[in-house]
Amino acid sequence: MEKSENVYKHTREILAKYSRNLRHVCLIALCLFACAAHAQRVLILTTRESPGFVPWLTGIRDAYQAAGATSIDYRYGVLNRTTPAPTSLFADKDVVVIAAAGNGAINAVQYNVLANVMKNRPNPNGMTFVFYLDPCCGQTYISDMVSPLNGVTGWGLGSIHINSSDTLPLNTASPYQSFFSDPALATIPASAYSVLTNVPANNIIYNDSATPTPGKAHTIFIPRREANHGNGACVLFSGDMNMMAPGSPRSVALARAAMDLNASTHCKDTNTSNYAVPTLQGWGLGLLAVGMGALAWRRQRRRVA
């Protein structure tokens, strides 16, 4: 009994001695993980547009910069080109934005590239493809993307065009709606837009109209676990661009929502039971090790002094 009490006393003394350092380590771990989770390297690929549409594309770039992107690689006109975009272009990116404003056609070879990188993501740590495609002027962006999206999900999606304007509500029943909780995102404007059909209810972010139709969506989200059995990338897909009006608070809030989704376990973890608890992995663990090493070095210096 006396031996047990001595062990208990000794253990308590050790914990008291090192508790301050342990708190420092925990704080550093949390800070380093937060930095790793929100390091957002953004690639933006656009169509080449007539002058009147260009501000919509640069406005998207500005929105992501205002929302806190770590770096932005803006590639104007890549989607029109007949030469396929190289897979290496995507490899070190966290968020890939695909933006087409209405006048510039996306070349068929680029659809093939997108189908491949969405289904087999080049960044093993997880990534998200975000689509802002405006079919206002006769372009078939949305219907052309149905096949790549079905290749990623196996859902059997379709599309229809709506040649009118509406205010679309957030699907508050979606498990992802909390990422769009900014008051500016309760509804979004839409005009001459397209909607996807046969969409699972949980994956609908913005409904097809003010009076929602089951299975139809203006904006959908595909988590990593539903993207090619966890081998694909997350996808946030919208059949319009009106909600990304240049300089609007809504566009910044939508950019932030996309990056927050990418940093969440919905895009970093294929385990369906792990939704809210983040894990340190990859270079996040390396940063934690560096932090703990720095604490040990500092403590050793104090001893020497």
Side-chain angles (χ1 to χ4, degrees), residues 96-284:
V96 178
V97 177
I98 307 299
N103 277 345
I106 299 177
N107 192 280
V109 299
Q110 309 304 347
Y111 283 115
N112 293 334
V113 170
L114 294 173
N116 177 55
V117 291
M118 286 193 302
K119 193 172 182 179
N120 305 285
R121 67 182 183 281
N123 185 342
N125 295 321
M127 62 194 305
T128 300
F129 284 80
V130 185
F131 289 82
Y132 305 120
L133 306 178
D134 198 320
C136 67
C137 309
Q139 297 294 341
T140 57
Y141 305 135
I142 312 305
S143 58
D144 290 339
M145 278 300 303
V146 164
S147 179
L149 290 172
N150 283 333
V152 171
T153 62
W155 286 345
L157 300 170
S159 70
I160 57 175
H161 186 70
I162 299 176
N163 196 27
S164 61
S165 299
D166 209 340
T167 299
L168 310 180
L170 177 69
N171 176 20
T172 56
S174 169
Y176 314 110
Q177 59 86 23
S178 63
F179 292 92
F180 300 84
S181 60
D182 189 299
L185 303 183
T187 62
I188 59 171
S191 181
Y193 61 105
S194 291
V195 301
L196 295 173
T197 60
N198 301 321
V199 181
N202 282 347
N203 300 89
I204 296 174
I205 302 300
Y206 285 100
N207 294 293
D208 64 312
S209 66
T211 54
T213 307
K216 293 183 179 180
H218 169 282
T219 300
I220 70 170
F221 175 66
I222 303 167
R224 175 173 159 179
R225 66 185 178 87
E226 294 184 67
N228 191 23
H229 310 287
N231 297 308
C234 282
V235 178
L236 184 63
F237 185 93
S238 297
D240 194 21
M241 193 185 281
N242 278 279
M243 69 287 190
M244 297 298 290
S248 70
R250 181 186 289 109
S251 66
V252 177
L254 285 168
R256 186 177 298 113
M259 292 194 292
D260 286 346
L261 270 170
N262 180 67
S264 76
T265 53
H266 299 300
C267 295
K268 302 298 185 185
D269 187 3
T270 57
N271 187 338
T272 57
S273 65
N274 294 337
Y275 267 88
V277 182
T279 57
L280 275 174
Q281 51 187 322
W283 66 282

